Amino acid sequence: MAPQASGPSLNDQVEALERSRRRLMIALVITILLWFVPQILDDLAPAALSHTLRSILVVLGMVGGLLWMGFMLRYNRFQRMVRNRPELRERLDDERIGQLRHQAVYRGWVALLICVAVGVAVAPFVTIPDQALLLTLLLVGVTAPIVFFLWLDRG
Amino acid sequence: MGHPELANRLKILRAERNWTQAELADRVGVSRKTINTIERGVFAPSAVLALKIARIFGVPVEEVFLLREAGDEE
């Protein structure tokens, strides 16, 4: 229970891990945007894009997808490492973080509902390709809770 | 009448013992940021965590956390 006498304290380790987790989450959001947004643009207006621009978007999407998978692997490794250190997990995933996760998931779900509602509202006036709609909903469903968590835990 | 707010004397109790937020966090088993947000009134701890903090200080929970009517100053 008492603070450690020497070496990096548990709190220093926890704060370093908190920063790593935050950086990984930001990287996951950026890379999934890089992966999905070019595909959505391509689905929304394929005729408006030149062949060169479409090729660039395809490459960007592939790079984004590969980077996202890499960061996802790192995130899973991070979670496994934390799971194996109960004294760190207790502090890293404490009560406040649990509460922030619930709030972030709830707000993410509301954001997803708003997107669906907007889609339904504009559907009679605008033709949205199914693929673009599904990708957008998937993107919002994945990124919104992460972004809300990062925002709620901003300091 | 407004809703009462959860106020706390964490900062005072810490100062009396010369503990930093990090030291208190180590003793309680949470992150320093959690102690900081409790102290600033941003995060309201559960009854379990509040009791744990009071036990660490060796005082009754009402000496650490108190309900304050909106607009009241301590």
Side-chain angles (χ1 to χ4, degrees):
Chain A
M1 280 296 245
Q4 291 175 345
S6 62
S9 77
L10 211 52
N11 250 293
D12 289 339
Q13 293 179 54
V14 169
E15 292 199 356
L17 288 171
E18 270 180 342
R19 283 193 295 274
S20 297
R21 178 169 63 187
R22 212 176 155 77
R23 277 198 298 268
L24 275 173
M25 290 170 95
I26 292 169
L28 283 171
V29 170
I30 292 170
T31 50
I32 202 169
L33 283 170
L34 196 63
W35 183 14
F36 275 38
V37 171
Q39 289 184 65
I40 294 168
L41 286 176
D42 192 29
D43 289 334
L44 280 177
L49 304 173
S50 68
H51 179 71
T52 316
L53 191 56
R54 286 187 78 177
S55 305
I56 292 170
L57 287 179
V58 169
V59 173
L60 269 181
M62 280 168 64
V63 170
L66 286 172
L67 285 173
W68 183 83
M69 281 177 224
F71 281 116
M72 206 56 207
L73 283 174
R74 277 181 65 180
Y75 188 76
N76 282 334
R77 239 189 357 243
F78 176 91
Q79 293 288 71
R80 252 202 323 272
M81 185 273 290
V82 171
R83 257 202 307 273
N84 293 331
R85 301 273 310 271
E87 77 284 7
L88 284 178
R89 194 178 71 172
E90 185 193 25
R91 288 158 172 80
L92 201 62
D93 290 338
D94 65 11
E95 189 181 299
R96 183 182 64 89
I97 292 296
Q99 205 182 87
L100 293 187
R101 278 200 185 120
H102 280 117
Q103 284 179 28
V105 168
Y106 172 73
R107 289 176 190 207
W109 178 73
V110 171
L112 191 61
L113 278 186
I114 290 171
C115 281
V116 173
V118 169
V120 169
V122 301
F125 315 104
V126 185
T127 309
I128 305 170
D130 295 347
Q131 176 86 350
L133 188 64
L134 289 174
L135 285 174
T136 304
L137 293 178
L138 190 57
L139 185 63
V140 172
V142 173
T143 56
I146 302 176
V147 171
F148 279 121
F149 178 84
L150 290 168
W151 184 70
L152 290 166
D153 189 39
R154 67 197 178 280
Chain B
M1 204 172 90
H3 289 289
E5 292 168 356
L6 185 69
N8 69 78
R9 298 179 61 246
L10 271 190
K11 202 171 177 177
I12 298 163
L13 290 164
R14 266 197 315 105
E16 284 171 3
R17 286 155 183 81
N18 252 340
W19 291 349
T20 61
Q21 287 184 344
E23 280 171 340
L24 178 59
D26 266 350
R27 289 166 197 266
V28 179
V30 294
S31 69
R32 190 199 56 80
K33 212 168 173 181
T34 296
I35 295 295
N36 179 269
T37 51
I38 294 173
E39 233 175 68
R40 289 189 292 129
V42 174
F43 169 62
S46 68
V48 174
L49 185 54
L51 286 164
K52 209 169 162 184
I53 292 170
R55 195 172 60 189
I56 300 288
F57 282 124
V59 295
V61 73
E62 315 87 86
E63 275 190 38
V64 187
F65 296 97
L66 45 142
L67 278 182
R68 193 169 55 194
E69 293 302 328
D72 280 3
E73 291 298 321
E74 201 185 336

